[in-house]
Amino acid sequence: MTSPRKKPRSQGMTDSFGRKIDYLRLSVTDRCDFRCFYCMGENVTFLPKPEVLSLEELDRLCSLFVDQGVRKLRLTGGEPLVRRGILTLISSLSRHLESGRLREITLTTNGSQLAQMATALANLGVVRINVSLDTLRADRFTQITGKPRFAQVMEGIETALKAGIRLKVNTVALKGVNDDEFDDLLRFCHERQMDLTIIETMPMGGLLYDRPGVYLPLDTIREQLAESWSLIPSPHHSGGPASYFTVAETGGRIGFIAPMTHNFCDSCNRVRLSCTGILYTCLGRNDATNLRIPLRTSQNNRQLIKAIRDAIAHKPQGHDFGISRDANHTPVERHMSVTGG
Ligand code: SAM
Ligand code: SF4
């Protein structure tokens, strides 16, 4: 008896600088229930709806990336939990967790929907979630996000913790806005066994060119925190670009993501896909490959696989947020909500 033909196993994806690419961040929608001023602003223009991929199309693309060697998938947005049918998509993709081909499906969320969805997410195999939270003060929360939903987010965090999901809090450092809260945020997180990661603002979509004054280098924050806490460098690595410290007094961890002051491109292992099927091989570059066209014009995956592998082979050496690496430098035009960070 002949055995069924097995799919040939991909050797994984490596770019021209020898970096293994095994992490996909998928923006499932560019829409959001918040309007964080550094991310979207009030006058954001959303991507045209006919271009937004269906749940089936997103599943087909993600599964192809898994075939090609992606082992970690992060769903983001916009706000991933406001995408209609998101639990159906996660449920379908969880077959790759069961088969062992995907190590992890995780999310970055603003937390607004967690009170309703955390238990379902835990049941689908989501064990870790990043929640974005820039302040512990309700009035500031409204100023930053444009929405009075602080209590809702707090309830979401507590529900997710009760559901057994490990949470990490991401805080964007904003000079003159939340720079007096890092001690409180650290205490809040570590009391709940959550890591805290502080992120430098990145000038995307032209938004922060209007408010350059909010940029705060993370070295300054680390020095400020070191006056009250003992920060011990930690070898911990979360698969992302943060460098971590253990806080001796709490036993918890604090991470710093500082793309503007510390370049971490040499160890970059990830690519990003927008909800319209545009593949960005670097967050801080404009280079993009349209996968929607081969996705929609052919049921055969050959062309798509070639497009993915070609794009990864040409992944740029590093981002272009700060000082230009080349003479043809143009700032990053898209908003963070297109790729989800
Ligand atoms: N809506 C979800 C959330 O807020 O977590 C996921 C998408 S959001 C674009 C992903 C992350 O990007 C959030 O932690 C957000 O704070 C961060 N972010 C957005 N714009 C940024 C910017 N200009 N600089 C640095 N981080 C930014
Ligand atoms: Fe929405 Fe997240 Fe952007 Fe805030 S950071 S506007 S929550 S996508």
Side-chain angles (χ1 to χ4, degrees):
M1 207 169 82
T2 52
S3 56
R5 258 180 70 192
K6 273 196 181 163
K7 262 192 194 171
R9 272 216 162 225
S10 159
Q11 295 303 304
M13 297 183 285
T14 306
D15 73 7
S16 62
F17 300 97
R19 294 171 297 193
K20 188 175 175 195
I21 308 303
D22 59 3
Y23 181 2
L24 174 67
R25 290 192 180 186
L26 170 68
S27 172
V28 294
T29 176
D30 65 326
R31 293 166 204 245
C32 186
D33 49 347
F34 290 2
R35 290 288 180 276
C36 303
F37 73 84
Y38 52 77
C39 174
M40 281 195 180
E42 277 304 326
N43 303 319
V44 61
T45 320
F46 292 112
L47 296 166
K49 273 220 166 133
E51 293 180 13
V52 174
L53 303 184
S54 66
L55 297 178
E56 292 74 20
E57 289 173 323
L58 290 173
D59 188 308
R60 181 176 159 205
L61 265 184
C62 285
S63 301
L64 261 189
F65 273 93
V66 173
D67 284 347
Q68 297 307 303
V70 159
R71 296 291 166 260
K72 177 171 170 179
L73 177 63
R74 177 175 296 280
L75 305 182
T76 174
E79 173 46 43
L81 296 181
V82 301
R83 169 82 200 239
R84 197 170 299 158
I86 185 67
L87 293 176
T88 309
L89 177 66
I90 297 174
S91 168
S92 170
L93 290 172
S94 68
R95 70 189 184 277
H96 300 304
L97 289 175
E98 281 150 26
S99 72
R101 295 201 308 152
L102 202 53
R103 278 197 298 269
E104 183 174 40
I105 300 178
T106 181
L107 291 158
T108 301
T109 171
N110 63 24
S112 68
Q113 309 303 311
L114 279 179
Q116 288 85 47
M117 290 186 168
T119 307
L121 290 168
N123 290 339
L124 290 174
V126 175
V127 293
R128 282 197 318 147
I129 290 180
N130 289 356
V131 181
S132 304
L133 178 69
D134 299 331
T135 178
L136 292 170
R137 302 194 192 170
D139 53 339
R140 270 191 195 169
F141 184 94
T142 307
Q143 274 170 21
I144 295 170
T145 64
K147 305 286 169 184
R149 307 268 167 77
F150 179 71
Q152 196 175 318
V153 171
M154 287 297 117
E155 191 191 343
I157 288 177
E158 299 304 339
T159 311
L161 290 171
K162 274 193 204 123
I165 298 177
R166 287 205 315 278
L167 298 187
K168 179 163 83 73
V169 167
N170 285 340
T171 299
V172 175
L174 302 162
K175 191 171 174 183
V177 179
N178 65 356
D179 49 356
D180 54 350
E181 284 199 63
F182 302 125
D183 281 326
D184 292 346
L185 280 159
L186 187 149
R187 217 171 284 113
F188 171 83
C189 289
H190 289 186
E191 278 167 8
R192 291 164 179 77
Q193 278 71 51
M194 305 188 288
D195 285 352
L196 168 67
T197 298
I198 302 184
I199 307 173
E200 263 176 7
T201 53
M202 294 166 238
M204 295 192 67
L207 282 171
L208 291 174
Y209 292 111
D210 303 338
R211 284 183 76 168
V214 298
Y215 171 69
L216 183 60
L218 295 195
D219 286 345
T220 313
I221 301 171
R222 202 165 51 230
E223 282 159 24
Q224 196 182 308
L225 284 168
E227 288 171 16
S228 322
W229 309 94
S230 316
L231 304 182
I232 305 157
S234 159
H236 178 72
H237 186 63
S238 63
S243 48
Y244 282 94
F245 293 79
T246 301
V247 179
E249 291 79 1
T250 62
R253 268 192 300 254
I254 181 160
F256 296 92
I257 301 184
M260 306 296 281
T261 46
H262 296 278
N263 198 296
F264 41 64
C265 303
D266 291 348
S267 57
C268 184
N269 59 346
R270 54 203 162 272
V271 291
R272 294 166 168 86
L273 189 60
S274 77
C275 61
T276 54
I278 309 296
L279 179 63
Y280 297 96
T281 52
C282 176
L283 178 66
R285 290 276 195 151
N286 291 316
D287 312 51
T289 301
N290 188 332
L291 298 181
R292 188 177 67 255
I293 296 171
L295 179 81
R296 287 190 170 166
T297 50
S298 171
Q299 282 309 306
N300 186 313
N301 288 332
R302 219 171 312 141
Q303 231 188 313
L304 261 177
I305 293 172
K306 183 175 179 318
I308 293 170
R309 297 193 78 95
D310 282 355
I312 285 177
H314 292 98
K315 180 172 160 71
Q317 187 176 10
H319 71 64
D320 223 356
F321 284 128
I323 299 154
S324 166
R325 278 173 189 248
D326 59 45
N328 300 319
H329 170 252
T330 45
V332 179
E333 290 148 7
R334 60 185 187 276
H335 287 185
M336 192 68 101
S337 52
V338 171
T339 49

